[in-house]
Every structure is written in C-alpha cells, then in structure tokens.
Amino acid sequence: MENEQTGSRRNHWTFLTNHARVLIAIARDPGARLRDIAADCDLTERTVQAIVTDLQTDGYLTRTRDGRRNRYAIAPGARFRHPAEAGREIAGLLAYLSGPPATPATPTTPPPAAESADGVPDDGALPLP
C-alpha cells in the first residue's frame, strides 16, 4: 500500500535527466553562460558546472574560450550511454528537443473525407456488420 510520502514522490519524475537538460540547453545556445543554463534548467550554477564537467569528461562536449566566455561544442557522433540505446547517436534527440519550443496546437479542420469507389465518403471507420 502506498503511503502519502511515496505517492507524492512518484508524481515528481520526469523523462529527461538534468544531464540531458543541460546538453539540450547547450545545443540551443553553445555560447550560453552557466548561470543562464542553470536558470533555463531550474538548477544551481554549481550543479550545472558539475554536469558540464561530466559531459566534457565523457566526451559529449568540448569547451573553448571565446574571449572571457566559454563556447561549447557537442561532440559529433556522441552516443547514448544506456545499453538499450547504446548504438544510437544523441544528435537526433538533441535536434528534436533543441528546436524552437512547440506552440500549443491550434484546432484545425480535418481534411475532407476520401470517397470510396461507390461515391460514399470514407472516413476511415470500420463498417458495421
């Protein structure tokens, strides 16, 4: 039986880890400051700094100095770490998630129903017996 504490904890999980969020923020803006990434990801600067170090150490990104700031580059061909996705590159996920934020869907009218050979509208529903 779930208690109140377990139940509330179970409702706070997310699909992306903090490492993924930081990597996505860098993919969106390779010249972003750590404080901006922290604000974007709702993390502390210290946490973001540790995550960036992890990502650099494991070869997911490189850092170069650009004047007084850092500029990050995501390693081409970097692959997921989990064995279930080990053969896949992260580039596709980053491209998808680092694009412009999705806008709420606006209602659209459905395309007109196709007609079958006998001229009856075919709305994709299965015929009733």
Side-chain angles (χ1 to χ4, degrees):
M1 182 168 176
E2 285 186 49
N3 63 27
E4 195 173 306
Q5 180 183 6
T6 304
S8 66
R9 186 181 63 195
R10 294 183 125 216
N11 292 331
H12 289 95
W13 67 273
T14 63
F15 281 106
L16 299 175
T17 65
N18 289 339
H19 282 67
R21 284 189 187 90
V22 168
L23 198 58
I24 290 164
I26 289 170
R28 286 181 180 148
D29 183 3
R33 297 177 301 176
L34 291 182
R35 80 173 54 166
D36 297 331
I37 294 170
D40 186 43
C41 296
D42 197 25
L43 300 169
T44 65
E45 284 184 59
R46 187 178 195 126
T47 298
V48 171
Q49 185 176 21
I51 290 171
V52 166
T53 299
D54 288 346
L55 293 170
Q56 282 182 266
T57 300
D58 290 341
Y60 284 89
L61 54 87
T62 56
R63 177 183 58 131
T64 56
R65 294 294 287 175
D66 186 14
R68 293 178 48 185
R69 299 187 59 177
N70 291 321
R71 185 150 193 84
Y72 301 96
I74 297 172
R79 299 188 181 278
F80 286 99
R81 291 173 47 110
H82 193 278
E85 301 88 23
R88 299 182 185 267
E89 292 185 2
I90 63 169
L93 180 68
L94 290 176
Y96 177 74
L97 292 175
S98 65
T103 57
T106 55
T108 59
T109 56
E115 289 186 1
S116 63
D118 60 1
V120 177
D122 181 12
D123 61 0
L126 297 174
L128 295 175

